[in-house]
Amino acid sequence: MRVLPSILILSSILLPIGADFRPCPYMTPECRPKMLELRSLLTFDSNSTYPPVPDMYNLTKSLCQEAEHCLAHCWALEDYGKACESLGTRVHKFETECVKYALSMVYDYNPHKPECSEKYDFFTTDPLLKKKVFAEGKECFLNPFYSNPCEQELRSKYDSLMSLYLTPSEDGKYNSPYDKFQKFQCEVLLQKLDSAIADMNSKNSINATKLVEMAQRSQNCIDNTCLIKPKKTEKIGKVFNITLF
Ligand SMILES: *[C@@H]1O[C@H](CO)[C@@H](O)[C@H](O)[C@H]1NC(C)=O
Ligand SMILES: *[C@@H]1O[C@H](CO)[C@@H](O)[C@H](O)[C@H]1NC(C)=O
Ligand SMILES: *[C@@H]1O[C@H](CO)[C@@H](O)[C@H](O)[C@H]1NC(C)=O
Ligand SMILES: *[C@@H]1O[C@H](CO)[C@@H](O)[C@H](O)[C@H]1NC(C)=O
């Protein structure tokens, strides 16, 4: 019985150490350990090379919900709120180096592998189709990837990553890993459009059909996410400018 108060005192001393989170002295004994756990999950996540595994993501989300009442009387709520809001869409190193890279590879590789490209559209924006494509097309997605240092790791994390990436948010907030993955897809499509334009310009040979197809595809992708500002009409305007002359 004597131990408990000293743990509480200790944890209230420990709480301010995480520089990004202000302390909250007014917490119930049920809240304090939860908020300590939330703080360490959020801190760990912000430093991690990898996105959280689904269990950890779900746990963090549910602690984030508790923060609203646990920290209701503290400024700390702002700090936790901000970190919780960006939890799903924070981009980790592994994602820029491996996940986006894999999307980019599969885009180029697919035309040379009709048994994959005819069956699986890895750039679809339809949530149900996406789930199916990435489940059934796993080997096609990982295949272009052999001899790449990411391959092993992407393969071992594939199921867990995809379960995060392919579960749309229920609250319509566009801040889940699903939305982040959709953004990766759009960014890759836009990159490919840019390089097709550059390539055609340098060869002085325009395939208008192809450019319009690519532009529409990018636009459709962007229309399905709030995470990219809709400024791409400008790019499509340019495409049409090229094609008109
Ligand atoms: C996490 O990142 C912060 C800065 O963002 C740094 O001060 C801290 O040392 C890092 N912690 C670990 C465990 O890497
Ligand atoms: C996490 O939560 C989502 C949505 O509520 C659910 O579909 C999924 O199965 C959960 N994942 C785990 C590993 O608990
Ligand atoms: C132009 O692009 C379309 C669609 O990608 C393709 O079917 C067609 O063969 C291309 N035309 C030329 C001349 O390369
Ligand atoms: C499109 O082409 C016209 C005529 O060459 C030019 O005046 C205009 O600035 C171009 N617009 C864009 C967006 O490049």
Side-chain angles (χ1 to χ4, degrees):
M1 276 328 236
R2 290 250 146 204
V3 183
L4 201 55
S6 61
I7 288 175
L8 288 182
I9 291 164
L10 185 63
S11 62
S12 72
I13 294 168
L14 285 176
L15 211 48
I17 292 177
D20 296 328
F21 300 101
R22 277 170 280 182
C24 182
Y26 324 109
M27 265 194 279
T28 63
E30 300 88 68
C31 277
R32 194 166 293 283
K34 288 180 182 170
M35 292 303 104
L36 277 169
E37 186 176 14
L38 178 57
R39 195 192 62 185
S40 60
L41 285 168
L42 290 171
T43 307
F44 176 77
D45 181 68
S46 73
N47 280 13
S48 168
T49 306
Y50 305 102
V53 297
D55 275 347
M56 209 190 255
Y57 178 73
N58 283 5
L59 174 62
T60 312
K61 289 279 281 186
S62 70
L63 289 171
C64 280
Q65 271 163 13
E66 301 219 28
E68 284 172 30
H69 72 83
C70 281
L71 304 174
H73 305 294
C74 288
W75 291 111
L77 181 58
E78 267 181 25
D79 309 331
Y80 285 78
K82 234 188 266 168
C84 285
E85 276 293 301
S86 63
L87 176 69
T89 52
R90 179 176 292 126
V91 178
H92 300 269
K93 197 164 165 236
F94 181 73
E95 298 180 300
T96 32
E97 290 181 357
C98 295
V99 177
K100 272 185 79 174
Y101 181 78
L103 278 169
S104 172
M105 292 284 283
V106 83
Y107 184 98
D108 293 333
Y109 186 81
N110 253 351
H112 309 295
K113 213 162 158 65
E115 71 274 23
C116 286
S117 60
E118 280 160 20
K119 271 207 243 163
Y120 308 118
D121 175 7
F122 292 107
F123 293 86
T124 177
T125 56
D126 178 311
L128 286 177
L129 191 56
K130 227 189 240 192
K131 236 185 165 111
K132 190 170 144 72
V133 163
F134 280 93
E136 292 174 7
K138 179 175 176 176
E139 288 310 316
C140 283
F141 188 76
L142 292 170
N143 196 340
F145 220 38
Y146 62 85
S147 86
N148 186 281
C150 288
E151 199 265 343
Q152 279 296 331
E153 238 177 327
L154 190 65
R155 184 175 284 282
S156 72
K157 293 186 171 15
Y158 187 86
D159 294 340
S160 138
L161 275 174
M162 288 307 157
S163 121
L164 281 177
Y165 289 158
L166 305 179
T167 311
S169 60
E170 285 146 12
D171 54 12
K173 270 190 174 166
Y174 287 100
N175 67 355
S176 69
Y178 179 91
D179 303 295
K180 173 171 64 178
F181 189 60
Q182 174 84 56
K183 179 168 173 271
F184 291 161
Q185 291 177 301
C186 302
E187 284 168 349
V188 168
L189 289 177
L190 288 167
Q191 258 172 32
K192 299 296 172 186
L193 175 59
D194 277 343
S195 59
I197 293 173
D199 189 47
M200 288 179 194
N201 265 340
S202 75
K203 288 185 185 141
N204 235 331
S205 129
I206 307 291
N207 182 340
T209 318
K210 190 171 178 192
L211 282 189
V212 170
E213 263 173 29
M214 292 178 84
Q216 277 170 347
R217 207 154 185 230
S218 310
Q219 187 62 49
N220 176 55
C221 189
I222 293 166
D223 290 345
N224 279 283
T225 176
C226 284
L227 297 179
I228 297 181
K229 307 265 182 302
K231 63 169 175 142
K232 285 302 158 186
T233 41
E234 172 204 328
K235 176 151 285 147
I236 289 163
K238 258 193 213 139
V239 172
F240 281 115
N241 230 18
I242 294 168
T243 62
L244 285 175
F245 294 91

